[in-house]
Amino acid sequence: MTPTVTTVGDPLPEPPDGAPYDVTVIGAGVVGTALARALAHHPLRIALVEASDDIGTGTSKANTAILHTGFDAVPGSLEARLVREGQRKLAEYAAATGIPVERVGALLVAWDDEQHAALPALLAKAEANDYHAARILDADEVAAREPALGPGVLGALEIPDESVICPWTTPLAFATQAVRAGVHLHLDCRVTAIATGKNVHTLTTSRGPLRTRFLVNAAGLHADVVDRMLGYDAFTVTPRRGQLLVFDKLARDLVRHILLPVPTAAGKGVLVAPTVFGNVLLGPTAEDLDDKTATESTGEGIALLREKGRRILPRLLDEEVTAVYAGLRAATGREDYRIQDHPERRAVTVGGIRSTGLTASMAIADHVTGLLAGIGLDLGEPASLAPLTMPYLGTDDRRPYLNAALVARDPAYGTIVCHCERVTEGEIRDAFAATLPPRTPAGLARRTRAGNGRCQGFACGAGLRARFEGTET
């Protein structure tokens, strides 16, 4: 196996032979990590640079975690094609690597005459997107499917193949495979300027210069800033904040499907959805802001969600809220991805990747790899990557503490550290020994769920923090 290279903090290492990277990907969210993994199939020198201290810390960690069918994308758009292809690719990849997925299906619920009248057009749109399993349900069928729904439902469009997925394990799996295959991951490495020469880009970063022949801008919320460093001004990213409420696992029996509103121009609206962790989500809001760091929650946002939730699923508001969080989506004023090759710069921009980016990530990666080949990158002969099995974070009997044989072999898997989420000493030990170990308690939570339960780390938090501070006794 190729030795793994992940660097943090110190100045970037000089390549042994002084040669530049073949390709550098800016941004280690779900799209950037998927692209690094796709490129790792080829005999290339690849760098993945990320401004934060971990992979997947931007939009990728704070979304609704839905594996979309693409039924409601704009027919004929690039997004529609890549979501459709990506859904199939990611479902297969998740099954092979142990990423939790639950095929719960979705209902687009109509609450008034205008919404009800829109259902046939939404059905036609799904069929135009080559999704033919959708069907319209009457009010009685909807009530039978979801008995806890609020009063006044007139009907719904059923999308049986919509699923929920783990949004944290997915980019971690991509990045792990990429790094094991030889990709250099440079964290805490913010790009501040790009100088483009005849054959090589020189990136000025917070950790020193980095040279590369080809460049991919997958910087998410900052894709417009990086694009301007390359000399382009095609779009502006408006951060669209989505606040969400996470309800306790005791609420899980209230909902059987992803419950979607009839969509508007601002997005898919406020939904209620189960999660692969056994909780229930309510959200998101859709607030266009100027600040690309504004991930705080607000009283107004929470009040709006509770108002919407009371109509959709009244009993949900009687349940305990486990957590509140907010994420920012990269809105660009166009209902499609902004993926563009720049042959004269040996670069590709991957911008405007909004809520469907998780689903489409693997298809986006393949598409961009093709664009790089089209602008002169010699990919060489592809090779398979070593198989990967990720720690399982779902709620079924694959959790280690439920595996009696595993506990008998290694009692650490029977020693519970986080009681809310049933996370064991063995899982935490494995996370620290992994190819991409956590650097913060939040990173550990994304890898194990430790501290993410109903007490939000009140019981286990101090002990978990001590592991990073070296003060554990």
Side-chain angles (χ1 to χ4, degrees), residues 56-74:
T57 59
T59 300
S60 299
K61 75 177 172 71
N63 55 55
T64 51
I66 295 175
L67 185 57
H68 296 278
T69 58
F71 75 95
D72 61 345
V74 176

Side-chain angles (χ1 to χ4, degrees), residues 437-469:
R439 301 182 66 212
T440 63
L444 181 63
R446 291 191 294 273
R447 287 160 171 80
T448 64
R449 289 172 44 182
N452 274 349
R454 68 188 309 179
C455 86
Q456 288 291 287
F458 182 82
C460 65
L464 296 176
R465 287 191 297 275
R467 295 167 191 258
F468 291 93
E469 298 164 359

Side-chain angles (χ1 to χ4, degrees), residues 400 403-414 429:
N403 187 331
L406 178 63
V407 173
R409 291 196 303 271
D410 187 343
Y413 292 112
R429 177 197 62 200

Side-chain angles (χ1 to χ4, degrees), residues 167-184:
W168 305 322
T169 310
T170 304
L172 183 61
F174 293 157
T176 298
Q177 265 192 313
V179 169
R180 287 184 180 180
V183 172
H184 292 187

Side-chain angles (χ1 to χ4, degrees), residues 16-385:
D17 57 5
Y21 288 105
D22 293 312
V23 188
T24 293
V25 179
I26 300 175
V30 71
V31 172
T33 55
L35 180 56
R37 176 189 173 275
L39 290 169
H41 285 86
H42 303 275
L44 300 168
R45 297 170 60 143
I46 304 158
L48 175 62
V49 300
E50 167 57 41
S52 71
D53 64 358
D54 200 357
I55 59 96
T57 59
T59 300
S60 299
K61 75 177 172 71
N63 55 55
T64 51
I66 295 175
L67 185 57
H68 296 278
T69 58
F71 75 95
D72 61 345
V74 176
S77 65
L78 179 62
E79 180 182 20
R81 175 170 70 83
L82 295 181
V83 170
R84 186 166 59 247
E85 294 174 4
Q87 191 269 347
R88 174 181 54 79
K89 291 175 183 289
L90 185 50
E92 292 173 356
Y93 182 75
T97 57
I99 298 170
V101 173
E102 289 185 40
R103 181 179 172 271
V104 293
L107 299 177
L108 268 79
V109 182
W111 299 91
D112 57 38
D113 290 335
E114 182 180 2
Q115 294 175 2
H116 193 232
L119 295 184
L122 288 167
L123 175 60
K125 191 176 189 180
E127 292 172 345
N129 281 315
D130 201 27
Y131 184 77
H132 301 286
R135 68 188 188 99
I136 294 176
L137 308 180
D138 62 26
D140 290 339
E141 288 178 289
V142 177
R145 296 289 191 89
E146 290 286 353
L149 277 174
V153 174
L154 301 181
L157 181 67
E158 180 194 20
I159 312 294
D161 297 298
E162 294 278 297
S163 303
V164 291
I165 187 170
C166 177
W168 305 322
T169 310
T170 304
L172 183 61
F174 293 157
T176 298
Q177 265 192 313
V179 169
R180 287 184 180 180
V183 172
H184 292 187
L185 172 62
H186 301 304
L187 300 171
D188 289 327
C189 190
R190 181 177 298 278
V191 176
T192 58
I194 301 171
T196 299
K198 183 178 179 181
N199 298 307
V200 174
H201 301 282
T202 300
L203 279 58
T204 301
T205 82
S206 55
R207 294 178 52 205
L210 182 150
R211 298 168 66 243
T212 186
R213 294 172 53 233
F214 289 80
L215 187 63
V216 179
N217 169 12
L221 290 166
H222 303 279
D224 55 343
V225 176
V226 173
D227 229 32
R228 291 184 182 111
M229 294 179 193
L230 284 165
Y232 303 104
D233 193 12
F235 63 91
T236 296
V237 172
T238 299
R240 181 168 293 162
R241 182 167 59 192
Q243 301 183 50
L244 296 104
L245 302 181
V246 182
F247 286 86
D248 189 71
K249 298 178 194 301
L250 294 176
R252 180 62 181 82
D253 289 342
L254 292 177
V255 61
R256 303 172 183 176
H257 303 75
I258 303 164
L259 302 178
L260 301 169
V262 175
T264 68
K268 294 181 172 65
V270 173
L271 59 82
V272 174
T275 75
V276 294
F277 313 121
N279 301 94
V280 176
L281 289 182
L282 172 63
T285 59
E287 310 157 53
D288 286 346
L289 308 172
D290 296 323
D291 184 356
K292 293 181 179 181
T293 65
T295 56
E296 66 274 7
S297 300
T298 67
E300 294 85 354
I302 292 171
L304 172 66
L305 293 179
R306 291 184 64 85
E307 176 188 340
K308 299 286 188 181
R310 186 171 288 108
R311 182 178 190 185
I312 300 167
L313 212 65
R315 289 167 54 195
L316 183 63
L317 275 298
D318 296 329
E319 300 294 332
E320 295 291 334
V321 172
T322 295
V324 179
Y325 70 93
L328 299 176
R329 290 159 279 172
T332 64
R334 189 168 80 182
E335 286 192 75
D336 202 356
Y337 298 157
R338 292 183 181 266
I339 300 178
Q340 180 64 54
D341 57 345
H342 302 292
E344 70 284 358
R345 289 285 195 275
R346 303 179 311 283
V348 178
T349 295
V350 186
I353 311 300
R354 298 183 298 167
S355 59
T356 56
L358 172 60
T359 300
S361 55
M362 298 185 78
I364 293 172
D366 290 343
H367 178 66
V368 173
T369 299
L371 291 178
L372 287 166
I375 62 174
L377 176 64
D378 182 2
L379 294 173
E381 290 298 317
S384 298
L385 300 182

